[in-house]
Amino acid sequence: MSVLARILALSLVAAIPAITTQPVRAQGASDAAQSYSADERAFLDGYISRTAMPSATIAGDVTVGTQLAGNLSYHAIDGHPRFRGHRYTHVNNNHVIVDGNNRVIAIHRHH
């Protein structure tokens, strides 16, 4: 690998943490709101698969920022520091990541 290619590769790697720690933003069809790295997305996929729950149906669209009711079933997301204090639920056939106040911070579609 040439010196120029190495410098370019290192600068791209150095930029990745800045990309994944940006404020809440929509990210396209896979997830909305939080930007997750491939590792974080894989962790969520595995965690949600192991702790699967039936989908609750609620009226209206569930979008980032929606305040969900406290009477839904929630699971803490354990085992990854990025998700400390976050929980997930399954609503309207979407896996929804919420903060400690049940406010939607991400909609994670299982891959």
Side-chain angles (χ1 to χ4, degrees):
M1 182 181 284
S2 73
V3 172
L4 181 57
R6 286 183 186 185
I7 291 170
L8 179 58
L10 289 174
S11 62
L12 289 174
V13 169
I16 290 172
I19 292 169
T20 60
T21 58
Q22 291 295 315
V24 173
R25 295 184 189 272
Q27 188 179 315
S30 296
D31 292 283
Q34 301 273 325
S35 296
Y36 297 126
S37 69
D39 175 59
E40 291 164 342
R41 195 180 321 274
F43 173 84
L44 279 175
D45 285 344
Y47 191 85
I48 289 169
S49 292
R50 287 189 308 277
T51 59
M53 65 172 60
S55 182
T57 301
I58 62 173
D61 292 332
V62 176
T63 59
V64 172
T66 299
Q67 185 73 38
L68 296 178
N71 62 350
L72 294 172
S73 292
Y74 295 94
H75 280 287
I77 303 173
D78 298 321
H80 197 291
R82 170 75 188 271
F83 304 108
R84 187 172 292 127
H86 295 161
R87 298 174 300 148
Y88 89 93
T89 188
H90 195 193
V91 177
N92 296 350
N93 293 314
N94 289 305
H95 295 105
V96 179
I97 312 301
V98 299
D99 63 15
N101 297 315
N102 302 338
R103 185 180 59 86
V104 176
I105 58 170
I107 299 171
H108 179 79
R109 290 172 178 85
H110 188 66
H111 303 293

